[in-house]
Amino acid sequence: MKIQDFADMKKFDRIISNWATATGMAAVAIGADGSYISEQHNFTEFCKMMRGCKEGCARCEKCDQEADGVYRCHAGLYDFAVELTVEGEKFGSVLGGQILQEEPDEEQCRKTAEKLGLNPDTYMRSLRKVKVASAEVVQASVEILSDAVNHFIRSEYAKNRTSHIFTSLADGVKETNELIETIKKETGTLRSIQSRQKILALNASIEAARAGDLGAGFAVVASEVGKLSERSSVVNKNIEEVVNRISEVVSAMK
């Protein structure tokens, strides 16, 4: 199952967007398979440029795959990975950050730009636009995001499961009603058979009486048939009472 299967993705994306706007950090959600499941929010010009070159993109993707908690990426920016879990199962992550915790070392940055085949001046201009925040601010912001997105998807998951349960219950109630009607029809048939048994037993007793001693054995059989009919009548009555009680319970559930 994917997050898209049970969560309102517009609301999910809005939570991430609002957080990114409030903190000035970048954020994007990915599914368990690594594909994007939200818009890219607040991505910096620097990171877009980095992912725009072959070597830089390869390094960024490697960081994405190995992302865990708050970490420093290959380009010196601080990023984070927030796991999205429901009942212990991982459904994806929210990746982001793209900030600095201190002013960059220009000399080192220019060397990195040259290695990647990027213009050092353009590289530095983009890097200077990156937000600077302390480790404490980053950690607190990430924890808030983690609580918000995980609370949302767990709530959506629970709501989805509850909906399925009620649907199953409604289907069960419908099927139970159909079974009750079938039982009622069958008990009606049973009552008809019991009536015939009584008539048969009565006729057999009359014929046995007419036959005298010769009908003694026949009379015993007629008596047993009559007793069986009476017992069947009691059982049938009990079944009807149970069925009626089930019907009342099912009606109350509806």
Side-chain angles (χ1 to χ4, degrees):
M1 182 181 288
K2 301 178 181 179
I3 294 176
Q4 304 94 302
D5 295 333
F6 60 82
D8 184 329
M9 296 308 291
K10 288 184 178 179
K11 290 183 179 179
F12 178 69
D13 191 69
R14 188 160 62 246
I15 291 172
I16 298 174
S17 174
N18 288 340
W19 178 88
T21 300
T23 62
M25 300 183 200
V28 64
I30 61 172
D33 60 356
S35 61
Y36 289 130
I37 57 175
S38 79
E39 297 294 327
Q40 297 178 0
H41 301 287
N42 254 1
F43 268 48
T44 63
E45 179 185 311
F46 176 80
C47 287
K48 289 178 181 178
M49 177 186 66
M50 185 64 70
R51 290 176 183 266
C53 72
K54 184 176 180 180
E55 179 61 26
C57 185
R59 294 185 183 186
C60 288
E61 289 178 350
K62 184 174 185 296
C63 285
D64 288 347
Q65 293 169 1
E66 299 173 351
D68 183 28
V70 178
Y71 63 96
R72 192 172 184 180
C73 78
H74 71 95
L77 275 62
Y78 282 85
D79 290 338
F80 67 81
V82 168
E83 288 192 351
L84 303 171
T85 61
V86 177
E87 296 182 350
E89 181 180 354
K90 183 177 177 180
F91 283 82
S93 302
V94 177
L95 307 177
Q98 300 181 7
I99 63 168
L100 293 168
Q101 291 187 2
E102 57 190 15
E103 292 298 329
D105 182 328
E106 184 168 345
E107 183 179 349
Q108 184 60 44
C109 289
R110 286 182 175 277
K111 289 180 180 180
T112 299
E114 290 174 355
K115 288 180 181 179
L116 295 173
L118 296 172
N119 183 288
D121 291 333
T122 303
Y123 186 95
M124 287 308 303
R125 279 198 300 271
S126 299
L127 188 58
R128 289 194 183 98
K129 295 178 182 179
V130 174
K131 177 183 175 68
V132 178
S134 67
E136 292 77 14
V137 169
V138 174
Q139 187 61 47
S141 299
V142 170
E143 288 177 5
I144 290 172
L145 177 63
S146 178
D147 289 343
V149 291
N150 275 297
H151 175 77
F152 176 75
I153 67 167
R154 289 165 189 171
S155 175
E156 290 287 283
Y157 182 80
K159 184 170 67 176
N160 180 267
R161 285 191 61 184
T162 300
S163 176
H164 281 302
I165 289 171
F166 276 114
T167 299
S168 298
L169 182 59
D171 292 342
V173 169
K174 181 182 178 182
E175 184 177 355
T176 302
N177 275 325
E178 292 172 353
L179 292 172
I180 288 172
E181 290 304 313
T182 301
I183 292 172
K184 286 181 177 180
K185 289 178 182 179
E186 293 301 323
T187 52
T189 302
L190 183 57
R191 278 197 302 273
S192 177
I193 293 172
Q194 289 163 359
S195 297
R196 293 174 186 173
Q197 283 179 327
K198 288 180 180 180
I199 293 172
L200 178 61
L202 179 60
N203 289 337
S205 297
I206 294 171
E207 293 300 323
R210 287 177 179 174
D213 292 340
L214 295 175
F218 197 47
V220 172
V221 174
S223 176
E224 289 303 316
V225 171
K227 290 178 182 178
L228 179 61
S229 177
E230 290 299 324
R231 286 198 296 271
S232 296
S233 180
V234 172
V235 172
N236 190 50
K237 184 178 180 181
N238 290 339
I239 291 174
E240 287 182 337
E241 290 177 353
V242 171
V243 170
N244 288 335
R245 179 56 185 151
I246 292 174
S247 183
E248 290 173 0
V249 171
V250 172
S251 295
M253 289 169 67
K254 286 198 296 182

